[in-house]
Amino acid sequence: MAERPEDLNLPTTIVTKMIKDCLPTNCKVSKEANVAIAKAASVFVLYATSSANAVAKENNRKTISGGDVVTAMGEMEFDKFVRPLENSLAIWRRGQKDKKDLAAKKKASAVAQKDEAPPNLEKDNQEVIEID
């Protein structure tokens, strides 16, 4: 748990970058607005986490899953976010599965190459040829 309330805030620089990335280039945002949005984003993250934790506890689990977050969004009446979040979660899961499959293929390939490689000759059995 955080020792100070400020430790629970999202980094202002990251929030500022997100704000700039989603607005047109001709739009200006004051420092005060950046701080206010960062605080609001921090509160939202804490609220969403608390709601998702409640969903996990209702299901007798200690670990929050992606599905818990999706359910919490609906319970928090952020229904507009449910479908995009489900889509993003499915894409993330697919990417994680692809990474896992690729790692398994690499491992299987390495084992197959090791099995096919000729055994190393011991030093005692090697002949040394000298050239003058």
Side-chain angles (χ1 to χ4, degrees):
M1 202 60 191
E3 292 180 19
R4 302 173 301 166
E6 301 86 44
D7 293 342
L8 297 174
N9 291 335
L10 295 172
T12 308
T13 54
I14 293 173
V15 175
T16 300
K17 183 180 178 344
M18 291 173 67
I19 292 167
K20 285 182 180 180
D21 288 348
C22 73
L23 292 175
T25 55
N26 62 349
C27 187
K28 304 268 188 208
V29 180
S30 71
K31 187 169 182 157
E32 179 185 33
N34 281 334
V35 171
I37 292 170
K39 289 277 188 195
S42 297
V43 169
F44 177 77
V45 169
L46 292 171
Y47 179 44
T49 303
S50 177
S51 296
N53 188 44
V55 172
K57 280 185 177 181
E58 286 171 7
N59 292 308
N60 298 318
R61 289 183 286 107
K62 292 183 179 181
T63 304
I64 298 171
S65 70
D68 296 332
V69 176
V70 172
T71 302
M73 285 295 157
E75 289 179 2
M76 293 164 42
E77 298 182 12
F78 285 101
D79 297 322
K80 288 175 104 176
F81 293 110
V82 170
R83 180 68 59 198
L85 183 56
E86 287 173 333
N87 292 339
S88 295
L89 195 55
I91 291 167
W92 181 83
R93 285 178 178 154
R94 203 171 315 125
Q96 293 299 305
K97 184 182 179 310
D98 291 347
K99 282 183 187 178
K100 188 176 180 181
D101 291 346
L102 183 62
K105 280 183 183 178
K106 283 183 179 180
K107 185 176 181 180
S109 176
V111 168
Q113 286 180 352
K114 182 180 177 186
D115 292 341
E116 292 175 4
N120 289 336
L121 298 175
E122 295 180 24
K123 275 190 171 182
D124 295 338
N125 295 340
Q126 292 181 352
E127 241 179 81
V128 177
I129 301 174
E130 292 184 23
I131 302 177
D132 289 324

